Amino acid sequence: MTQFLVENKAVVVPGERLVEGMDVVAGPNTYRDGDAIYSERLGLAAIDGRTIKLIPLSGRYVPKTHDVIIGKVFNITMNGWQIETNSAYSAVLNLKEGGSDYIPRGDDLTKYYRVGDYLVCGVVNVTSQKLVDVTMKGQNLFKLRGGRIFSVSCNKVPRIIGKQGSMVSLLKEATGCKVIVGQNGLVWVSGDPAMELIVQKAISKIERESHLSGLTEKMSAYLEKETGKKVFQGETDGV
Amino acid sequence: MVYKTRLENRGFDQARPMEAKVGVIKRADGSAFFRFGHTWAYAAVYGPRNLYPKFLQDPSKGILRCNYNMMPFSSVGERVRPGGSRRSKEISMVTQKALLPVLDLDEFPNSVIDVFIELPETEAGSRCAGITAAAMALADAGLRMKDLVAAVSVGRVDDKIVVDLDYSEESYEGGPVADIPVAVMPNSGKITLLQMDGIISPEQLSKAIGMAKATCVKIAEVQRAALKEKYKASENNGQ
């Protein structure tokens, strides 16, 4: 007889018994030991029919292919740039991936990106040894100029972006700032300095209250109060 | 002289009052506090992060580095001289070995996870409090673990088998004493740390270990409750 020992969306800790019985599949971040399924991390249990998985609530960023991240140039080598990724591993931006223009070998690389520059870059490849390759070729990948950068928990990034980007577009519309949220938990905001500050406060509020329902409505009310302007709320559904 | 009653009317199988809290150090990736009576331990976890010098790196898995530190004013006796000592180095090592069996660090090759255990107040059983706090901090840091680790010291004072010896019992002079710190994975009951100081018979030892396992199950309950307390707000994650 299969029995779920936790409710859907309950907080579970490592080693907690989640399911008893053989006809449930152990999904990501869980493991089976004999008859029972146990959790392998701290997170929220997600029951989906006959599978159970775990959505992590904490942990550092681990680079994944196709992620768009905000990285910082910390070194320049013969073949390209080395990028800090806000994780345990640094990334390499090769000359060939340096941008849409051709960069000749032996060129002065500081002409393109200097040490200390922040870049919006895409992760192209991650090896088993966590060697990370990033690219600057592609739409919306560029060097950041001005604005401010701060970090948030990478587990909260999906909430800050919202469904189909609803939360980020709300922030952009309300404050007129440009906002980019990297999958690695770094956020770049650029615009009017007072508005930048409001965005930063709003994002830390989202981070704190990411568990509450109706967050988009709550945030639009908050932004209206802070900016003193009516916020146009288009197709932002109740996230 | 016969050892009859314990201080504060504690039962022979009863640990000192326990208290646990998670997320006590804001800038750490994971942190926890654990207390057995007057033995307080704070644990902070940083990482996975870059590991240097490079020769320490392990390309097959991440490494765990533990640091046990008693604060100068922490003990009842003489001032503890700051910095490492032979004793603290040994305890750091056994802490690392007690925690490694539950951790899965394959995901983080060439990186390190640092655990810092600080003890502002100690009165025997400090390595057990440290291991218990560190296990919670590692879970809080979002690392992959198959179980928690709970630790307690058991032993013998004169003819009695006791759980969680305090300083007066450790230094009891009316008869033979044995002090046995034990760390246990509460789900499987497997032992990850077993040390001994003193004289004890094989029968007494197996009885003491049985009591340690029973106490560790109770400690694990405290650990789980503390971890859930921090993330409780996330429980009704409305979407």
Side-chain angles (χ1 to χ4, degrees), chain A residues 161-175:
Chain A
I161 292 172
K163 273 185 192 157
Q164 277 115 38
S166 60
M167 192 69 85
V168 160
S169 24
L170 177 72
L171 288 167
K172 285 179 185 167
E173 275 167 31
T175 60

Side-chain angles (χ1 to χ4, degrees), chain B:
Chain B
M1 204 165 120
V2 185
Y3 193 66
K4 279 195 195 119
T5 52
R6 304 180 80 182
L7 282 177
E8 289 155 9
N9 291 323
R10 194 142 64 99
F12 290 106
D13 60 348
Q14 202 182 351
R16 286 172 282 175
M18 289 181 269
E19 193 186 333
K21 206 169 175 227
V22 173
V24 287
I25 298 161
K26 223 177 170 184
R27 300 287 294 176
D29 291 309
S31 62
F33 159 74
F34 186 80
R35 170 173 89 89
F36 277 127
H38 288 294
T39 301
W40 297 41
Y42 283 89
V45 172
Y46 296 84
R49 60 181 180 184
N50 258 328
L51 174 58
Y52 290 105
K54 211 166 179 179
F55 67 83
L56 291 175
Q57 292 182 354
D58 183 343
S60 62
K61 61 180 187 304
I63 68 162
L64 180 72
R65 205 158 49 174
C66 294
N67 187 44
Y68 165 100
N69 183 41
M70 261 166 85
M71 290 185 177
F73 47 82
S74 61
S75 80
V76 268
E78 216 166 277
R79 172 176 181 268
V80 182
R81 277 170 59 95
S85 61
R86 197 167 73 170
R87 177 174 174 275
S88 73
K89 194 164 186 180
E90 182 213 312
I91 298 177
S92 302
M93 186 204 63
V94 297
T95 303
Q96 182 216 18
K97 295 200 167 169
L99 294 169
L100 265 180
V102 296
L103 280 171
D104 177 9
L105 301 178
D106 292 352
E107 216 183 325
F108 310 113
N110 294 326
S111 68
V112 66
I113 287 143
D114 274 315
V115 181
F116 294 99
I117 299 164
E118 294 288 334
L119 299 125
E121 188 175 351
T122 59
E123 204 208 343
S126 62
R127 73 191 70 187
C128 298
I131 289 168
T132 309
M136 287 190 285
L138 288 165
D140 184 33
L143 293 163
R144 205 172 283 283
M145 319 164 69
K146 63 177 174 188
D147 204 348
L148 293 168
V149 180
V152 71
S153 71
V154 286
R156 165 240 188 134
V157 180
D158 206 359
D159 60 337
K160 296 286 192 299
I161 306 296
V162 295
V163 167
D164 192 19
L165 286 78
D166 62 21
Y167 186 72
S168 68
E169 292 171 323
E170 241 178 32
S171 54
Y172 183 72
E173 286 178 351
V177 173
D179 176 25
I180 307 159
V182 186
V184 174
M185 301 199 267
N187 271 348
S188 55
K190 284 182 182 161
I191 291 171
T192 64
L193 165 81
L194 184 63
Q195 292 182 297
M196 191 178 84
D197 182 13
I199 307 159
I200 198 165
S201 72
E203 297 76 42
Q204 284 175 319
L205 179 65
S206 55
K207 189 184 168 198
I209 289 173
M211 282 162 87
K213 282 186 182 174
T215 312
C216 284
V217 170
K218 287 181 204 155
I219 297 170
E221 287 301 312
V222 176
Q223 286 177 307
R224 289 192 183 128
L227 281 164
K228 287 187 179 182
E229 182 66 32
K230 182 184 169 188
Y231 293 94
K232 202 168 89 187
S234 318
E235 203 148 353
N236 45 9
N237 194 336
Q239 278 232 345

Side-chain angles (χ1 to χ4, degrees), chain A residues 9 11 13-16 29 31 38-42 44 57-60 62 88-89 128-130 159 211 213, chain B residues 29 47-48 50 59 107-109 111 139-142 144-146 187 224 227-228 231 233-239:
Chain A
K9 287 178 178 163
V11 181
V13 302
E16 192 166 331
N29 301 321
Y31 69 96
Y38 296 90
S39 71
E40 210 174 18
R41 277 180 81 162
L42 192 124
L44 296 175
L57 282 171
S58 58
R60 297 277 304 257
V62 178
Y89 305 99
S128 66
Q129 297 308 302
K130 305 278 177 186
R159 299 292 287 171
H211 54 282
S213 50
Chain B
D29 291 309
N50 258 328
E107 216 183 325
F108 310 113
S111 68
D140 184 33
R144 205 172 283 283
M145 319 164 69
K146 63 177 174 188
N187 271 348
R224 289 192 183 128
L227 281 164
K228 287 187 179 182
Y231 293 94
S234 318
E235 203 148 353
N236 45 9
N237 194 336
Q239 278 232 345

Side-chain angles (χ1 to χ4, degrees), chain A residues 5 17-22 26 31-38:
Chain A
L5 303 174
R17 210 174 239 260
L18 304 175
V19 179
E20 250 163 47
M22 290 304 287
Y31 69 96
R32 177 175 280 287
D33 185 12
D35 269 356
I37 294 176
Y38 296 90

Side-chain angles (χ1 to χ4, degrees), chain A residues 3-237:
Chain A
Q3 202 189 349
F4 287 98
L5 303 174
V6 288
E7 283 171 32
N8 198 17
K9 287 178 178 163
V11 181
V12 296
V13 302
E16 192 166 331
R17 210 174 239 260
L18 304 175
V19 179
E20 250 163 47
M22 290 304 287
D23 40 335
V24 176
V25 180
N29 301 321
T30 63
Y31 69 96
R32 177 175 280 287
D33 185 12
D35 269 356
I37 294 176
Y38 296 90
S39 71
E40 210 174 18
R41 277 180 81 162
L42 192 124
L44 296 175
I47 300 167
D48 183 15
R50 291 251 154 261
T51 57
I52 187 160
K53 63 173 184 176
L54 220 126
I55 302 157
L57 282 171
S58 58
R60 297 277 304 257
Y61 173 70
V62 178
K64 273 203 313 291
T65 318
H66 304 311
D67 277 358
V68 172
I69 61 170
I70 295 179
K72 185 186 180 187
V73 179
F74 74 93
N75 197 11
I76 301 177
T77 67
M78 293 291 274
N79 308 313
W81 298 264
Q82 282 181 291
I83 314 281
E84 258 175 34
T85 58
N86 196 29
S87 73
Y89 305 99
S90 61
V92 172
L93 175 61
N94 198 281
L95 272 186
K96 281 193 286 185
E97 304 284 345
S100 47
D101 296 341
Y102 174 70
I103 302 172
R105 190 167 268 276
D107 203 359
D108 177 17
L109 296 186
T110 56
K111 277 199 308 201
Y112 304 93
Y113 312 116
R114 288 164 176 270
V115 171
D117 281 349
Y118 281 93
L119 311 174
V120 183
C121 46
V123 179
V124 223
N125 193 14
V126 182
T127 69
S128 66
Q129 297 308 302
K130 305 278 177 186
L131 296 172
V132 185
D133 277 339
V134 291
T135 184
M136 290 296 287
K137 276 183 185 170
Q139 272 187 328
N140 305 327
L141 302 180
F142 54 93
K143 181 169 120 180
L144 296 173
R145 290 184 175 85
R148 63 174 67 208
I149 284 181
F150 52 91
S151 71
V152 296
S153 162
C154 68
N155 301 288
K156 298 283 163 67
V157 165
R159 299 292 287 171
I160 293 166
I161 292 172
K163 273 185 192 157
Q164 277 115 38
S166 60
M167 192 69 85
V168 160
S169 24
L170 177 72
L171 288 167
K172 285 179 185 167
E173 275 167 31
T175 60
C177 289
K178 292 177 197 160
V179 183
I180 291 173
V181 186
Q183 287 294 329
N184 60 342
L186 289 186
V187 184
W188 175 74
V189 184
S190 171
D192 180 55
M195 291 297 173
E196 281 180 8
L197 210 62
I198 291 173
V199 175
Q200 189 172 356
K201 274 192 209 154
I203 286 178
S204 62
K205 193 175 157 74
I206 297 170
E207 218 188 339
R208 274 199 313 277
E209 298 178 11
S210 62
H211 54 282
L212 300 174
S213 50
L215 193 59
T216 314
E217 284 81 46
K218 221 172 164 183
M219 288 317 295
S220 70
Y222 174 79
L223 288 167
E224 259 173 37
K225 202 185 105 208
E226 289 289 314
T227 58
K229 281 187 299 195
K230 186 88 186 114
V231 175
F232 167 73
Q233 213 187 326
E235 289 172 40
T236 49
D237 49 6

